[in-house]
Amino acid sequence: ASSLADGEKDPVAIAQFFATSEYNILLNWDQIVFVTPLRLSLDGSRAYQTTKLREAHTGQWRQVKWGLSLRDKDETKDGKWLIDTVVVSRR
């Protein structure tokens, strides 16, 4: 699987990684299909979604799985959903 080096913060290295890996689809899509309904964990703090993204230049579809977590929620705030994991299918 493709991955960045632990703690990589160099913007050029990050941009090159996205441009040359299967994760390029995350920057260059023009349509999305939600393959599965959003699934929530029993406590409502995690969510899972499977999508298909269409690559804008080639028209090819790629499956992308998302893992999210709810953060900063309390009695006064609704909280916000953050992306924890993204898994893109290989070409």
Side-chain angles (χ1 to χ4, degrees):
S2 298
S3 64
L4 288 168
D6 288 338
E8 180 66 65
K9 292 184 175 55
D10 176 33
V12 174
I14 293 169
Q16 185 172 6
F17 167 77
F18 275 97
T20 59
S21 73
E22 63 268 17
Y23 291 87
N24 185 42
I25 189 72
L26 299 175
L27 304 175
N28 295 299
W29 61 275
D30 63 1
Q31 287 187 24
I32 187 170
V33 172
F34 294 92
V35 176
T36 62
L38 184 69
R39 296 172 309 195
L40 288 175
S41 63
L42 292 176
D43 67 359
S45 67
R46 297 201 180 276
Y48 306 93
Q49 179 73 64
T50 300
T51 63
K52 283 191 176 182
L53 300 179
R54 189 177 83 156
E55 208 280 325
H57 304 294
T58 67
Q60 292 183 327
W61 290 89
R62 304 282 298 282
Q63 183 169 288
V64 181
K65 294 181 178 183
W66 307 83
L68 303 104
S69 61
L70 184 59
R71 307 283 174 88
D72 299 329
K73 182 179 178 179
D74 61 27
E75 298 80 30
T76 62
K77 296 187 282 184
D78 290 336
K80 56 187 162 246
W81 287 98
L82 301 179
I83 300 170
D84 291 326
T85 59
V86 178
V87 178
V88 177
S89 65
R90 291 203 178 262
R91 295 179 186 195

